[in-house]
Amino acid sequence: MSRKFPRPIKRIVIKVGSSVIATYAMKPRVAHLRSLVRQIAAVERNGVEVVLVSSGAIVLGMGALGQRKRPTDLASLQALAAVGQAALMNRYTDLFRENKVKCAQVLLTWDDFNNRVRYNNARNTFQAILQRSVVPVVNENDTIATDEIKFGDNDKLSALVACLVQADLLLILSDVEGLFNLKDGKKELFQEIREITGDIESVAGGTDKKHMSRGGMTAKLDAIKIATQAQIPCVIANGESEDVLLRVLKGERIGTFFVEKEGKHLAKQHWISFGAKPKGVITVDDGAREALQKGGRSLLLPGVVSWEGHFGVDDVVVVYDKNKQEIARGLTNYSTVDLGKIQDKKGKPEVIHCDNLVLCER
Ligand code: GLU
């Protein structure tokens, strides 16, 4: 029986990891790339829009400059990415041209998601590129990204892009078949996962070649939680399997399929949960935790125990319980300075309104 997606796939985000793109000698795996691009072109001809999130800038930069060991300092990584990203795009442009398809480079940092205006701009940009039947090839802007504005890994970037363009499927191509159950010394591929529970995370295995990429299975699962929460189903499959993209789209049961969640977050809630980078933490007492977890309640000042960070009005903050467990995220009505001024006042000012508060489902 073939796999059923919740809706026809008209727009897909494909993420390819560095290990699929580059050899151990840090050179492009041309045969793989050629096969991937040929499949994307075939899919495009069938009217499916494709966004390709491609890693590989740093590893190809290392190859181009003959550097065997991945550096750890930011400046070196940025320089390597500058060299490698150009090599990567040249290669894609040539390969897409062989298939009579045009591609475009889109480089993003977390700021493009963090800031609502830039977020909307980015959405319009993707829309305009896709309307012209051009394939956006996306990567993190590693050359200018500092720790402050970094996603950290392209798995998360691909999930946020899938949400931004409202994709019908996120396909993560890695160098493993999918997610494996490694319980009790066996190794079994999970065919389908409805919910990424703590149990699944504890028995899950299968990682990329670590020296090349940032990700690993934990990063993939975190990314998948973001996408499935926005009702985007996901598949992790081996980028080296023949015709993997075409087979996944036909519903063939390869890789691991992650079913989308039912209750969709509104765009604003999703952005609060995943798009915005929190500016601080507010810790609450047990009474406030219980009230918030019932749902539909605002966070009131008497429940606030302490706060950290430097946040302003309308910034996203993480809400912790007293055990430092994240219970929610929300847009605060008060800055750090304001909270200091009102903390001894009587009454119950609303620190986070319930409409701007999203309970944690991570
Ligand atoms: N953006 C990085 C690159 O292109 C890859 C990050 C990752 O592997 O997740 O080299």
Side-chain angles (χ1 to χ4, degrees), residues 76-106:
S76 305
L77 289 168
Q78 289 177 322
L80 290 173
V83 174
Q85 181 64 29
L88 186 66
M89 275 321 289
N90 280 339
R91 187 63 72 169
Y92 276 124
T93 307
D94 288 346
L95 293 171
F96 275 106
R97 192 183 299 122
E98 283 174 17
N99 289 277
K100 302 192 174 28
V101 174
K102 292 198 166 53
C103 64
Q105 171 178 268
V106 181

Side-chain angles (χ1 to χ4, degrees), residues 15 17-18 54-59 70 81 85 88 139-140 142 152-155 212-215:
K15 187 258 168 178
S18 299
S54 177
S55 304
I58 293 174
V59 72
R70 188 180 167 110
Q85 181 64 29
L88 186 66
N139 198 355
E140 176 156 17
D142 295 305
D153 65 76
N154 272 12
D155 297 307
M212 289 195 190
S213 56
R214 302 282 311 246

Side-chain angles (χ1 to χ4, degrees), residues 53 106-115 118-119 122 126 138-142 144-162 164 214-215 219 222-223 226 274-277:
V53 177
V106 181
L107 298 177
L108 297 168
T109 64
W110 200 334
D111 252 8
D112 296 304
F113 290 84
N114 203 9
N115 177 308
R118 286 172 69 167
Y119 186 82
F126 275 105
V138 185
N139 198 355
E140 176 156 17
N141 195 348
D142 295 305
I144 60 133
T146 55
D147 283 343
E148 287 283 285
I149 55 167
K150 255 188 163 326
F151 298 98
D153 65 76
N154 272 12
D155 297 307
K156 179 165 192 169
L157 171 63
S158 67
L160 291 172
V161 168
L164 181 75
R214 302 282 311 246
D222 286 346
I226 296 177
F274 302 114
K277 209 161 195 170

Side-chain angles (χ1 to χ4, degrees), residues 15-196:
K15 187 258 168 178
V16 265
S18 299
S19 52
V20 179
I21 282 167
T23 62
Y24 270 113
M26 321 277 171
K27 298 289 179 200
R29 299 175 80 180
V30 181
H32 276 125
L33 291 176
R34 178 166 281 122
S35 156
L36 176 67
V37 170
R38 174 185 51 76
Q39 294 174 66
I40 293 176
V43 164
E44 284 261 329
R45 276 194 290 277
N46 282 336
V48 178
E49 294 172 331
V50 179
V51 177
L52 179 62
V53 177
S54 177
S55 304
I58 293 174
V59 72
L60 294 186
M62 288 165 68
L65 299 185
Q67 193 160 338
R68 300 290 305 167
K69 206 165 163 278
R70 188 180 167 110
T72 45
D73 68 294
L74 188 63
S76 305
L77 289 168
Q78 289 177 322
L80 290 173
V83 174
Q85 181 64 29
L88 186 66
M89 275 321 289
N90 280 339
R91 187 63 72 169
Y92 276 124
T93 307
D94 288 346
L95 293 171
F96 275 106
R97 192 183 299 122
E98 283 174 17
N99 289 277
K100 302 192 174 28
V101 174
K102 292 198 166 53
C103 64
Q105 171 178 268
V106 181
L107 298 177
L108 297 168
T109 64
W110 200 334
D111 252 8
D112 296 304
F113 290 84
N114 203 9
N115 177 308
R116 290 289 285 168
V117 176
R118 286 172 69 167
Y119 186 82
N120 288 333
N121 287 342
R123 195 199 329 253
N124 294 340
T125 305
F126 275 105
Q127 194 59 32
I129 297 173
L130 292 169
Q131 261 169 8
R132 288 161 175 77
S133 302
V134 173
V135 176
V137 180
V138 185
N139 198 355
E140 176 156 17
N141 195 348
D142 295 305
T143 298
I144 60 133
T146 55
D147 283 343
E148 287 283 285
I149 55 167
K150 255 188 163 326
F151 298 98
D153 65 76
N154 272 12
D155 297 307
K156 179 165 192 169
L157 171 63
S158 67
L160 291 172
V161 168
C163 300
L164 181 75
V165 302
Q166 296 184 300
D168 301 305
L169 181 69
L170 169 62
L171 172 60
I172 297 184
L173 294 178
S174 175
D175 59 356
V176 289
E177 301 304 319
L179 186 68
F180 285 98
N181 182 350
L182 300 180
K183 201 171 175 185
D184 304 330
K186 40 179 202 187
K187 189 176 178 196
E188 236 176 298
L189 185 71
F190 284 109
Q191 296 278 345
E192 182 174 304
I193 291 188
R194 298 211 150 256
E195 184 156 14
I196 302 171

Side-chain angles (χ1 to χ4, degrees), residues 211-356:
H211 69 295
M212 289 195 190
S213 56
R214 302 282 311 246
M217 220 20 112
T218 312
K220 289 184 182 31
L221 293 182
D222 286 346
I224 285 166
K225 286 184 206 166
I226 296 177
T228 50
Q229 186 68 59
Q231 287 199 319
I232 300 169
C234 304
V235 173
I236 299 182
N238 192 332
E240 296 168 23
S241 306
E242 209 180 332
D243 284 343
V244 59
L245 169 61
L246 304 179
R247 287 159 64 201
V248 165
L249 288 180
K250 270 190 204 141
E252 203 177 303
R253 290 177 175 270
I254 51 172
T256 304
F257 178 44
F258 295 84
V259 179
E260 73 291 348
K261 290 251 180 138
E262 271 170 22
K264 187 177 178 178
H265 272 166
L266 299 172
K268 183 168 85 174
Q269 292 174 317
H270 199 266
W271 177 77
I272 289 173
S273 281
F274 302 114
K277 209 161 195 170
K279 295 275 170 55
V281 172
I282 293 182
T283 302
V284 301
D285 62 20
D286 291 343
R289 174 177 53 76
E290 278 166 33
L292 295 183
Q293 286 178 333
K294 277 189 192 141
R297 308 286 176 91
S298 300
L299 173 61
L300 306 179
L301 185 66
V304 172
V305 176
S306 61
W307 56 90
E308 288 161 43
H310 290 284
F311 44 85
V313 175
D314 270 348
D315 277 342
V316 172
V317 293
V318 178
V319 180
Y320 274 171
D321 68 10
K322 288 197 317 204
N323 301 321
K324 296 269 170 237
Q325 287 295 317
E326 179 176 338
I327 53 172
R329 289 185 184 206
L331 295 178
T332 169
N333 289 336
Y334 293 95
S335 66
T336 351
V337 177
D338 295 340
L339 279 176
K341 284 185 192 153
I342 63 166
Q343 66 177 328
D344 297 325
K345 293 237 165 77
K346 294 223 163 53
K348 295 186 174 178
E350 243 174 16
V351 178
I352 303 178
H353 187 268
C354 56
D355 287 350
N356 294 330

